[in-house]
């Protein structure tokens, strides 16, 4: 059976699932299809033509290379296909987005046939995805006096690839669809348990929200064919949680428009809204596709005659509806006036949705084209020796005379590209920045590799200091899906230039360490900017932004990112931690105290949390940093004392050296380069040449939060509050309760210690608690299962050396075996302890899950509906979040303990303690 027949068989199988043929990315299959096209008598010729024209992926896929070559043959008359004229062949090349298609167009444009060269040049003038090899060819041709090359460069210098695009339409008619009440998690739009299918866009699209919702969207489209469906988070924020391109892709698939008639299931321009706007990460992803995000503000605080907010009996602020966005409401977006209308009635101002930069993204069909276009215009203008005309919106540069800089403002000023020399930039400025560290994780990595192919990138940007491809999200179960996807991903990323968790050659042991922990170790400069394919890319050194798979691809390919400098909220601490408290309780208390201090307003949302952590090394400080994703912050920055930062860098050096010793460094010696940078940074701090990063004393903050450690007297638990009468208050991470609330009675069905929120100290706490209880009661019996997943292998190695792992093994009924990993997800748990493979485990929800309807107490970050635990018919699943000692004790006794039980269990244990800095961590402004 040949490969084409295999493809036809797959198509028939997909038909039974209601799916169209899978887009072609392989050279072998497309070569066979071309052979059949050339054979005029072939029975499959008609279908082969359709597959070739409409179902082949563009960019740098091997299929794209074969397609471009065949189109070149047709244009030169070497092959004749009645259905594909020379002009049509050029049109098809114009939709292939770079890589082989650009190479072919340059061959033709710089060739000897004047008529063909002219046509090829006209197509090239519309293209922006050119890389060094392409621009070098143009430069060489121009230098040798080629007139066509000059003509192309002159067009690029004028940015005609952008200026000749149609303008954004003035009025966009939308019909509303409420996706849910309260915050809409990206898990609803692209569930974690369907991560394996994300690269198959049509198949993955079927998991968005529910089949019923999909039918309702189709019905709205049928009723309003002239309108776009706007997906809405009523009384909430749209797109909270994970940073998923797949979520935006799914929304675009159902409500957007096709990017190209020749590329299936790649849609752009979705329109989304939320009462409280769009999550910052999600909004960036919407921009990638040229979509529109709307802050609806359709529910507002109800106030009394004095203007004070009215509260209900629970102390919550009462909201009243300013205007309705009920499903089926027809509204109009005016992009010129930047306003939202219902008929002639003006509802809200939309200036933030239509900044000059966002208007460019909409016009160009996405932000990538703008990023590449700006670089191409700059290149052409410099080569021609002309000044590039001001075609694009200028970088927004905001500078306040005499005002100091926050930490994030300092980092952005250091890394900014293309800004006015010598100008100091403050929050609100919109800038391009160089990216130092990039991370890709394994469930979005397949999409990142597709994005890299589609933008025709073949090698990592030389200005990136280090990049890592993880294997943590698929670590729990080495099932058929993982076996099919992960080796392919690792090979692609390894060849692209990333350090990869798995070695495609199989020479070093596969590593499933949690991506955030690895990125935290390989970040060796607190002035760094980090971009990672996960919302928890929030390092305790540098400033890190969780991003969609496309933004990660752009950072890998160009070494750059574009974004506004965010405002900051300063967090400092006073008082003393109680010895029975864990630092996780401080993290939860920060959120609770902030909400109380600001009357229920989340001042962290969309901003940088600048936490003056001072004395806590990077591993432990990461617990705070990690949680800032749940605080809805855009990112966070830790301000450390000099000696603490040096300690953190020494730890990082040791862990990078372990990666080198395993054989993970590549031919560019990226890991060794990071150790060298760490040594240099340590020397700078010790000499006083460049102390640890601090903000200026006269920096301006949106708000300042002071966390009082003295009033944290009980462990704190983040509760999904699944039965709250107000649906919008469920699953928000904002309901923080102390231990006494539960009265020592709430049953726990499963405990989970693991994922990125724990560090080595947490695993030592587990062993110390077991030792404590064994001493007090003679033995340890579990009344609920306890799942333990260390975040990294080096933690396990250190625990083995220090004797803790032996005790964990003693009480475990299951210990992972890398030589025989699980082939299927566990569906039933006994009341024992499970030592699972390092990685995300239950927190990810794509492989392992608790039993439906369980009450889970976890150290992880996710309490979203259906993530860690799904609902059952008998009760809703609950994922409550707490510190390691609370989780361990709850699993042992089968319920949340009372405060006396808790204190007895942790007696004498060295919990993760924290002592605030006694000095103010600021510097004197130099401007």
């Amino acid at each position: 059976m040949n490969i084409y027949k295999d493809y036809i068989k797959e198509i028939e199988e997909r038909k039974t699932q209601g799916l169209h043929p899978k887009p072609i990315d392989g050279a072998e299959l497309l070569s066979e299809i071309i052979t059949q096209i050339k054979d005029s008598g072939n029975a499959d010729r008609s279908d082969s033509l359709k597959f070739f024209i409409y179902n082949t992926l563009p960019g740098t896929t091997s299929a794209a290379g074969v397609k471009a070559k065949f189109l070149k043959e047709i244009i030169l008359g070497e092959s004749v296909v009645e259905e594909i004229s020379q002009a049509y062949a050029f049109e098809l090349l114009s939709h292939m987005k770079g890589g082989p298609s650009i190479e072919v167009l340059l061959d033709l444009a710089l060739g000897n046939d004047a008529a063909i060269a002219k046509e090829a040049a006209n197509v090239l003038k519309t293209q922006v995805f050119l890389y060094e090899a392409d621009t070098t060819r143009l430069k060489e041709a121009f230098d040798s006096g080629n007139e066509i090359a000059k003509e192309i460069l002159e067009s690029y210098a004028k940015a005609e690839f952008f200026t000749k695009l149609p303008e954004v339409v003035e009025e966009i008619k939308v019909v509303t669809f409420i996706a849910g009440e309260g915050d809409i998690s990206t898990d609803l739009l692209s569930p974690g348990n369907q991560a394996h299918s994300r690269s198959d866009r049509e198949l993955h699209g079927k998991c968005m929200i529910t089949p019923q919702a999909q039918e309702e969207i189709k019905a709205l489209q049928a009723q309003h064919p002239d309108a776009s469906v706007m997906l809405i988070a009523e009384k909430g924020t749209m797109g909270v949680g994970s940073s998923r391109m797949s979520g935006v892709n799914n929304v675009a698939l159902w409500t957007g428009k096709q990017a190209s008639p020749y590329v299936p299931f790649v849609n752009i321009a979705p329109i989304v809204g939320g009462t409280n706007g769009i999550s910052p990460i999600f909004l960036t992803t919407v921009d990638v596709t040229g979509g529109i995000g709307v802050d609806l503000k359709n529910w507002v605080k109800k106030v009394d005659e004095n203007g004070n907010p009215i509260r209900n009996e629970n102390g919550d602020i009462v909201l009243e509806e300013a205007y309705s966005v009920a499903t089926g409401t027809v509204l109009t977006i005016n992009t010129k006036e930047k306003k939202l209308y219902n008929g002639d009635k003006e509802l809200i101002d939309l200036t933030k949705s239509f900044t000059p930069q966002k208007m460019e993204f909409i016009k160009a069909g996405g932000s990538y084209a703008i990023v590449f276009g700006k670089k191409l215009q700059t290149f052409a203008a410099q080569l021609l020796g002309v000044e590039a005309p001001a075609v694009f919106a200028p970088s927004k540069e905001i500078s306040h005379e005499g005002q100091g800089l926050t930490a994030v403002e300092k980092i952005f000023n250091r890394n900014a590209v293309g800004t006015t020399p010598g100008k100091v930039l403050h929050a609100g400025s919109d800038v391009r920045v160089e990216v130092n560290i990039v991370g890709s994780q394994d469930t979005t990595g397949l999409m990142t590799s597709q994005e890299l192919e589609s933008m025709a990138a073949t090698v990592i940007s030389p200005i990136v200091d280090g990049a890592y491809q993880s294997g943590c999200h698929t670590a729990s179960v080495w099932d058929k899906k993982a076996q099919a996807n992960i080796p392919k991903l690792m090979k692609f990323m390894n060849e692209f230039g990333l350090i990869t968790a798995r070695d495609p050659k199989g020479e070093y042991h596969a590593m499933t360490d949690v991506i955030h922990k690895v990125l935290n170790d390989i970040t060796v400069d607190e002035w760094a900017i980090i971009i990672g394919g996960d919302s928890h890319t929030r390092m305790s050194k540098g400033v890190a932004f969780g991003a969609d798979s496309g933004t990660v691809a752009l950072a890998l390919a160009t070494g750059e990112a574009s974004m506004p400098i965010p405002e900051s909220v300063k967090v400092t601490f006073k008082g003393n931690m109680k010895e029975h408290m864990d630092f996780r309780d401080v993290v939860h208390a920060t959120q609770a105290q902030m909400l109380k201090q600001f009357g229920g307003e989340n001042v962290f949302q969309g901003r940088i949390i600048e936490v003056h952590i001072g004395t806590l090394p990077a591993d432990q400080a990461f617990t705070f940093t990690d949680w800032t994703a749940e605080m809805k912050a855009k990112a966070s920055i830790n301000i450390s004392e000099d000696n603490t930062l040096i300690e953190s860098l020494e730890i990082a050096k040791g862990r990078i050296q372990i990666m080198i010793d395993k054989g993970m460094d590549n031919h560019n010696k990226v890991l060794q380069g990071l150790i060298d940078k760490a040594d240099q940074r340590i020397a700078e701090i010790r000499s006083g040449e460049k102390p640890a990063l601090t903000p200026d004393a006269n920096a301006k903050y949106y708000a300042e939060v002071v966390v009082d450690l003295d009033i944290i007297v009980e462990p704190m638990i983040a509760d999904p509050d699944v039965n709250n009468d107000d649906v919008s208050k469920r699953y928000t991470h904002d309901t923080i309760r102390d231990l006494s609330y539960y009265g020592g009675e709430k049953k726990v069905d499963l405990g989970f210690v693991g994922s990125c929120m724990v560090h080595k100290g947490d695993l030592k706490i587990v062993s110390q608690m077991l030792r404590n209880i064994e001493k007090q009661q003679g033995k340890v019996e579990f009344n609920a299962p306890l799942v333990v997943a260390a975040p990294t292998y080096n933690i396990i190695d250190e625990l083995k050396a220090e004797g803790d792992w032996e005790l964990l093994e003693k009480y475990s009924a299951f210990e992972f075996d890398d030589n025989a990993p699980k082939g299927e997800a566990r569906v039933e748990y006994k009341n024992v302890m499970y030592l699972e493979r390092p990685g995300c485990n239950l927190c990810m929800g794509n492989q392992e899950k608790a039993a439906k309807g369980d009450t889970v107490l976890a150290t992880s970050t996710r309490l979203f509906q259906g993530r860690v635990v799904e609902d059952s018919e008998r009760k809703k699943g609950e994922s409550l979040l707490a510190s390691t000692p609370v989780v361990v004790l709850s699993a042992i006794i089968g319920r949340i303990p009372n405060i006396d039980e808790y204190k007895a269990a942790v007696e004498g244990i060295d919990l993760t303690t924290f002592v605030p800095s006694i000095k103010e961590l600021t510097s004197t402004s130099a401007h």
Side-chain angles (χ1 to χ4, degrees):
M1 185 176 282
N2 65 23
I3 193 168
Y4 180 78
K5 286 180 180 174
D6 289 343
Y7 185 54
I8 297 301
K9 184 182 176 185
E10 181 192 71
I11 289 171
E12 292 304 315
E13 290 170 356
R14 287 174 71 87
K15 272 184 188 175
T16 64
Q17 303 170 61
L19 297 170
H20 293 87
K22 200 170 183 179
I24 297 165
D25 61 2
E28 189 180 354
L29 173 58
L30 198 68
S31 296
E32 197 165 310
I33 284 169
I34 290 170
T35 300
Q36 292 172 174
I37 291 171
K38 289 179 176 179
D39 178 4
S40 58
N42 192 288
D44 296 311
R45 186 176 181 278
S46 177
D47 283 343
S48 294
L49 259 171
K50 290 174 187 172
F51 293 143
F52 176 81
I53 294 170
Y54 298 107
N55 210 47
T56 303
L57 289 178
T60 56
T61 63
S62 59
V66 173
K67 182 172 182 175
K69 183 183 175 188
F70 186 44
L71 291 171
K72 181 183 178 183
E73 288 176 14
I74 292 171
I75 290 166
L76 293 174
E78 296 168 1
S79 290
V80 177
V81 178
E82 185 183 346
E83 296 86 349
I84 303 178
S85 64
Q86 187 184 80
Y88 192 31
F90 272 122
E91 181 182 345
L92 292 174
L93 279 170
S94 75
H95 284 258
M96 290 181 66
K97 289 183 73 174
S101 62
I102 297 294
E103 185 180 352
V104 163
L105 286 166
L106 283 168
D107 288 346
L108 298 170
L110 304 178
N112 297 322
D113 189 311
I116 287 176
K118 189 78 174 171
E119 286 303 311
N122 288 338
V123 175
L124 272 170
K125 291 173 189 177
T126 68
Q127 304 295 298
V128 294
F129 292 101
L130 275 71
Y131 287 86
E132 191 175 353
D134 308 314
T135 53
T136 298
R137 287 187 69 186
L138 273 176
K139 181 182 183 302
E140 289 171 353
F142 170 73
D143 288 343
S144 63
N146 186 295
E147 284 299 314
I148 289 287
K150 182 183 177 187
E151 184 185 319
I152 294 167
L153 288 165
E154 286 173 343
S155 176
Y156 286 162
K158 296 174 190 171
E160 289 180 339
F161 47 75
F162 177 71
T163 60
K164 291 190 174 183
L165 292 172
E167 293 300 321
V168 177
V169 295
E170 186 173 330
E171 288 194 345
I172 301 171
K173 192 174 175 184
V174 297
V175 56
T176 60
F177 177 76
I178 293 178
E181 195 172 328
D183 290 348
I184 298 293
S185 161
T186 48
D187 248 21
L188 186 73
L189 308 175
S190 169
N193 61 7
Q194 299 298 313
H196 62 277
S197 68
R198 286 179 187 158
S199 56
D200 185 345
R201 292 193 182 203
E202 185 191 18
L203 173 60
H204 194 68
K206 290 186 174 292
C207 72
M208 188 184 84
I209 313 177
T210 61
Q212 180 187 358
Q214 294 163 19
E215 289 302 316
E216 289 177 33
I217 290 169
K218 283 164 64 177
L220 285 171
Q221 289 166 331
Q223 291 167 28
H224 306 277
D226 59 337
S228 296
V229 174
M230 176 164 67
L231 225 62
I232 291 174
E234 176 77 321
K235 290 188 181 178
T237 303
M238 172 62 78
V240 301
S242 304
S243 46
R244 294 205 184 140
M245 189 79 203
S246 53
V248 172
N249 283 345
N250 279 351
V251 177
L253 195 65
W254 286 101
T255 68
K257 58 188 179 185
Q258 193 171 0
S260 164
Y262 308 116
V263 184
F265 314 118
V266 177
N267 282 19
I268 58 172
I271 302 174
V272 293
T275 292
N276 302 325
I278 319 297
S279 168
I281 302 171
F282 196 70
L283 189 54
T284 301
T285 320
V286 171
D287 289 342
V288 165
T289 62
I292 299 169
V294 179
D295 187 355
L296 291 165
K297 299 174 185 165
N298 58 310
W299 288 87
V300 296
K301 294 176 184 177
K302 191 172 183 179
V303 296
D304 59 23
E305 62 275 9
N306 299 317
N308 298 315
I310 296 171
R311 297 179 181 272
N312 61 20
E313 61 274 11
N314 297 323
D316 296 325
I317 291 172
V318 176
L319 301 176
E320 57 184 353
E321 192 174 47
Y323 62 93
S324 174
V325 292
T327 293
T329 304
V330 177
L331 304 171
T332 304
I333 294 172
N334 189 302
T335 62
K336 189 175 182 181
E337 296 177 15
K338 299 178 174 51
K339 296 183 187 298
L340 180 68
Y341 289 92
N342 187 334
D344 294 330
K345 184 183 179 185
E346 181 184 323
L347 299 177
I348 51 164
D349 179 81
L350 295 179
T351 302
K352 287 185 178 178
S353 298
F354 297 105
T355 63
Q357 286 79 16
K358 288 180 185 290
M359 289 292 281
E360 289 177 344
F361 299 159
I362 296 166
K363 178 177 176 176
S367 57
Y368 294 169
I370 298 298
V371 173
F372 277 85
K374 286 179 177 178
K375 293 185 78 161
L376 192 56
Q377 184 193 29
T378 301
F379 158 77
Q382 287 176 347
L383 182 57
L384 293 170
V386 300
E387 189 172 333
V391 168
F392 299 103
S395 290
K396 189 177 177 184
E397 297 186 349
I398 294 175
S399 186
H400 303 292
E401 187 69 32
Q403 180 179 306
L405 297 173
T406 64
V408 74
E409 288 168 342
K410 286 189 173 184
I411 293 173
F412 269 66
N413 274 279
R414 190 192 82 162
N415 291 280
V417 177
T419 53
T420 303
K423 191 169 185 179
V424 175
L425 303 179
H426 288 95
S429 301
D430 207 305
V431 294
R432 282 164 56 208
V433 289
E434 289 189 355
V435 175
N436 308 96
I437 301 289
V438 185
S440 170
Q441 51 100 330
D442 37 326
T443 52
T444 59
L446 288 165
M447 293 180 61
T448 298
S449 63
Q450 283 185 336
E451 297 285 346
L452 288 167
E453 287 179 329
S454 74
M455 64 177 74
T458 56
V459 65
I460 192 169
S461 167
I463 67 173
V464 173
D465 291 336
Y468 177 69
Q469 171 62 59
S470 82
C472 57
H473 286 65
T474 52
S476 301
V477 185
W478 192 235
D479 56 16
K480 289 180 181 177
K481 294 167 187 171
Q483 290 171 37
N485 290 331
I486 302 307
K488 181 171 67 174
L489 170 65
M490 295 293 169
K491 183 175 186 296
F492 179 95
M493 290 301 192
N494 196 280
E495 290 173 355
F496 197 84
L498 282 75
I499 303 298
T500 51
R502 287 178 176 273
D503 181 7
K505 302 182 187 72
E507 291 173 5
Y508 61 78
H509 183 273
M511 196 168 92
T512 57
D513 290 358
V514 174
I515 180 172
H516 329 304
K517 291 292 193 181
V518 178
L519 292 181
N520 207 38
D521 286 337
I522 69 171
T523 301
V524 293
D525 183 357
E526 82 278 22
W527 291 77
I529 291 179
I530 304 103
I531 297 288
D534 193 287
S535 57
H536 291 100
T537 306
R538 288 154 189 268
M539 307 303 96
S540 48
K541 301 185 292 292
V543 63
F545 298 95
D548 60 276
S549 53
T551 302
V552 171
L554 198 63
L556 287 170
T558 67
E560 290 186 10
S562 296
M563 67 184 92
I565 303 178
E567 294 177 300
S568 294
V569 176
K570 183 178 181 180
V571 175
T572 56
F573 304 89
K574 68 176 183 178
N576 298 290
M577 261 187 86
K578 306 291 182 286
E579 64 177 16
H580 62 278
M581 304 305 295
D582 185 80
F583 185 64
R584 177 69 183 254
D585 302 313
V586 175
V587 174
H588 285 179
T590 298
Q591 189 155 343
Q593 290 188 28
M594 175 274 295
L595 290 168
K596 189 173 182 181
Q597 286 174 35
F598 291 91
E601 178 194 355
N602 183 358
V603 297
F604 292 150
Q605 183 163 346
R607 301 183 176 92
I608 301 292
I609 300 178
E610 185 186 284
V611 55
H612 289 234
I613 210 82
T615 60
L616 209 56
D619 267 18
Q620 292 92 312
F622 187 78
T623 305
F624 191 103
T625 312
D626 207 17
W627 182 259
T628 60
E630 285 19 281
M631 295 177 186
K632 298 183 187 173
K634 189 166 182 69
S636 67
I637 295 178
N638 284 353
I639 307 300
S640 294
E641 293 183 0
D642 287 354
N643 289 337
T644 304
L645 181 57
I646 289 171
E647 181 186 349
S648 296
L649 291 174
E650 291 290 0
I651 292 169
K653 279 173 54 186
R655 290 182 177 166
I656 296 169
Q657 187 61 53
I658 289 169
M659 295 170 74
I660 294 173
D661 294 343
K662 286 181 177 180
M664 296 179 73
D665 214 349
N666 59 18
H667 67 280
N668 290 328
K669 301 294 181 188
V670 164
L671 294 176
Q672 184 57 53
L674 292 172
I675 288 181
D676 296 343
K677 285 182 173 68
D679 282 332
Q680 181 184 346
R681 187 69 194 100
I682 290 167
E684 289 173 342
I685 298 168
R686 283 194 170 133
S687 69
E689 177 190 345
K690 189 178 178 184
L693 170 67
T694 54
D696 291 331
N698 60 337
K700 185 179 178 184
Y701 297 91
Y702 177 83
E704 296 191 29
V705 176
V706 181
V707 180
D708 188 348
L709 300 176
D710 287 333
I711 64 174
I712 309 171
V713 295
E714 290 191 33
M716 311 289 283
I717 293 176
D719 194 321
D721 207 9
V722 298
N723 296 311
N724 194 313
D725 292 338
D726 185 346
V727 177
S728 70
K729 296 279 196 285
R730 300 175 189 169
Y731 308 105
T732 67
H733 288 91
D734 286 346
T735 303
I736 309 289
R737 292 170 168 152
D738 58 37
L739 199 69
S740 294
Y741 174 88
Y742 302 94
E745 295 178 356
K746 188 173 180 68
K747 184 175 183 291
V748 170
D749 299 302
L750 184 143
F752 172 50
V753 172
S755 164
C756 52
M757 285 291 282
V758 299
H759 54 88
K760 176 184 169 183
D762 287 281
L763 277 294
K764 290 185 81 69
I765 287 169
V766 177
S767 68
Q768 288 167 336
M769 287 190 71
L770 293 174
R771 193 177 287 116
N772 251 15
I773 290 167
E774 181 181 62
K775 186 177 178 182
Q776 292 167 6
Q777 301 178 11
K779 60 179 179 177
V780 179
E781 289 185 351
F782 290 91
N783 283 284
L786 178 63
V787 177
V788 177
T792 61
Y793 282 94
N794 57 36
I795 284 175
I796 294 175
D797 291 341
E798 290 167 24
L799 292 171
K800 285 178 178 177
E802 294 164 19
D804 295 277
W805 192 256
E806 187 179 346
L807 190 69
L808 294 176
E809 286 179 314
K810 174 183 174 181
Y811 280 105
S812 69
F814 170 86
E815 183 179 354
F816 75 93
D817 179 359
D818 277 331
N819 295 316
K822 278 186 297 184
E824 293 182 358
R826 182 178 285 108
V827 292
E828 291 183 356
Y829 296 85
K830 296 176 181 176
N831 291 347
V832 295
M833 185 167 71
Y834 298 85
L835 293 179
E836 296 287 355
R837 203 178 195 187
C840 302
N841 202 272
L842 286 162
C843 187
M844 181 55 196
N846 63 321
Q847 293 183 325
E848 302 278 70
K849 265 182 154 38
K852 289 182 179 180
D854 269 3
T855 294
V856 178
L857 198 64
T859 61
S860 74
T861 55
R862 294 313 197 199
L863 49 64
F864 304 135
Q865 186 172 17
R867 179 64 171 262
V868 173
V869 55
E870 294 175 355
D871 296 343
S872 71
E873 292 180 7
R874 63 184 174 85
K875 71 181 281 288
K876 292 179 181 294
E878 297 177 86
S879 176
L880 293 87
L881 310 176
S883 67
T884 293
V886 172
V887 172
V888 173
L889 184 56
S890 297
I892 289 170
I893 64 177
R895 56 180 171 78
I896 293 178
N898 61 42
I899 188 65
D900 292 331
E901 291 170 322
Y902 170 80
K903 284 183 175 179
V906 299
E907 189 177 349
I909 294 177
D910 183 18
L911 301 176
T912 312
T913 53
F914 167 58
V915 179
S917 291
I918 56 172
K919 59 181 181 179
E920 191 172 352
L921 299 175
T922 58
S923 56
T924 304
S925 172
H927 40 267

